[in-house]
């Protein structure tokens, strides 16, 4: 496959995304190829760890390739998208619980589906160029690919803020929020990858890891916690509108570009996940309830039209006044019964 290189080099199973012209956006076939490789290497005693990286300087992975999702959805075929998401989520869960170290090197943009690929491994490396985000609300989805798990685990109310604003995290912000582990200058990466291939030992990352610069997100946490302490989207909007500071105004401006239904559902999902019973399986199940319905009942197709197809940046969202009834989020997140997500490989 031209879009991805999968091989064994030394002691490492190697996965390199190779679509730099498309910011290494993840296609359905790439997802399946990665899963097949992980399955092969799980019991291969010659492979000690997995190293995931990407070609080009601009992006590790900018997200999922959504052109086919849009085309099939507009034609009234919702099953393709449902299968795509189910198979992608199975891969996310597999990376999260993989029996061997998974080391990801995330330069430039890591967004959406890229987070699902790069941020569930055991060793998540970022650099001075890294920008990590969950921008799904901007196209009518909720943060998925297991991203809701990390948002629920983020400090304070940082998860709600990141989920509904699509704010891009620097390397230091991503480490603070729980999306990354190791800050290593990018010029050191080629030698480190060669050593990982040679030794099969992820511990060699430790001496190269530096203390990251101060996190701007951390500096704003107290303010974010106060603004986002509401139970619903409406509560949070009321807090933001009462605050006449620049940060609140900028936050509102970001949220005004997002799907209100997706934002309200994002907040509900994060709140449901918090607590001692949080698992990747629970997060993916809730995400799939929404994405399963996103084309037929949500704002997904309109979000893609406005952002990618017509590029007019003027989506006609449902609940454009941002008054989202609780019944609307309840409809998007109710159990799917026999259609519920299964993480067993049925291919």
């Amino acid at each position: 496959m031209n879009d991805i290189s999968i091989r064994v080099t030394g002691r490492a199973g190697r996965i390199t995304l190779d679509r730099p012209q498309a910011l290494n956006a993840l296609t359905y076939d790439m997802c399946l190829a990665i899963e097949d490789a992980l399955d092969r290497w799980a019991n291969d005693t010659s492979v000690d760890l997995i190293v995931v990286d990407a070609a080009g300087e601009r992006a590790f992975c900018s997200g999922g390739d959504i052109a086919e999702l849009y085309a099939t959805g507009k034609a009234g075929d919702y099953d393709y998208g449902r299968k795509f998401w189910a198979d992608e989520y199975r891969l996310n869960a597999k990376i999260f619980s993989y029996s061997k170290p998974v080391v990801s090197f995330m330069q430039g943009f890591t967004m959406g589906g890229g987070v699902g690929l790069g941020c569930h491994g055991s060793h998540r490396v970022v650099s001075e160029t890294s920008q990590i985000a969950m921008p799904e609300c901007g196209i009518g989805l909720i943060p998925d690919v297991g991203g809701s798990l990390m948002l629920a685990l983020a400090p304070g109310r940082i998860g709600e803020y990141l989920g509904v604003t699509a704010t891009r995290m620097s390397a230091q912000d991503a480490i603070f929020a729980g999306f990354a582990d190791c800050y290593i200058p990018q010029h050191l990466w080629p030698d480190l990858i060669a050593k990982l291939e040679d030794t099969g030992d992820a511990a060699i990352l430790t001496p190269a890891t530096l203390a990251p610069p101060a996190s701007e997100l951390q500096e704003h946490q107290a303010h974010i916690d106060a603004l986002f302490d509401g139970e619903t989207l409406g509560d949070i909007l009321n807090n933001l509108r009462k605050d006449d500071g620049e940060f609140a105004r900028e936050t509102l401006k970001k949220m005004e570009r997002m799907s209100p239904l997706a934002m309200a559902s994002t907040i509900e999902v994060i709140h449901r996940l918090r607590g001692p019973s949080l698992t990747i399986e629970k997060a993916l199940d809730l995400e799939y309830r929404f994405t399963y319905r996103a084309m037929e009942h949500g704002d997904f197709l309109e979000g893609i039209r406005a952002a990618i197809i017509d590029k007019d940046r003027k989506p006609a969202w449902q609940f454009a006044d941002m008054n989202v009834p609780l019944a609307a989020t309840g409809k998007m997140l109710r159990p799917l019964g026999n259609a519920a997500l299964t993480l067993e490989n049925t291919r």
Side-chain angles (χ1 to χ4, degrees), residues 146-227:
S148 65
L149 173 98
M150 286 178 282
L151 295 176
L153 290 171
R157 300 288 182 159
I158 294 293
E160 286 93 329
Y161 171 74
L162 292 173
V164 302
T165 63
T167 296
R168 294 178 185 177
M169 292 175 276
S170 63
Q172 50 268 37
D173 289 338
I175 291 171
F176 167 69
F179 283 72
D181 305 300
C182 308
Y183 181 85
I184 301 177
Q186 204 165 316
H187 71 274
L188 298 177
W189 289 10
D191 285 346
L192 283 173
I193 291 173
K195 289 179 181 177
L196 288 168
E197 293 170 343
D198 184 47
T199 66
D201 184 4
I204 66 149
L205 296 171
T206 302
T209 300
L210 303 180
S215 164
E216 187 175 337
L217 195 58
Q218 185 173 9
E219 292 174 2
H220 286 295
Q221 186 192 344
H223 198 185
I224 290 170
D225 288 352
L227 291 170

Side-chain angles (χ1 to χ4, degrees), residues 284-346:
L284 291 167
D285 176 72
L286 280 171
E287 293 170 6
Y288 189 64
R289 295 181 192 184
F290 188 97
T291 52
Y292 184 94
R293 300 179 171 103
M295 291 190 189
E296 188 174 6
H297 302 294
D299 285 323
F300 176 68
L301 294 177
E302 174 61 10
I304 296 302
R305 181 208 63 77
I308 308 296
I309 307 302
D310 297 337
K311 299 182 179 178
D312 59 20
R313 305 288 176 182
K314 295 179 180 178
W317 299 129
Q318 299 178 66
F319 313 110
D321 60 1
M322 295 213 275
N323 293 317
V324 183
L326 291 176
T329 57
K331 176 182 177 181
M332 296 301 290
L333 296 174
R334 69 172 180 255
L336 289 168
N338 292 336
L341 177 69
T342 174
L343 295 177
E344 296 177 8
N345 191 342
T346 57

Side-chain angles (χ1 to χ4, degrees), residues 64-77:
D65 190 331
I66 54 181
E68 191 70 15
L69 290 173
Y70 180 81
T72 54
K74 285 298 288 183
D77 173 11

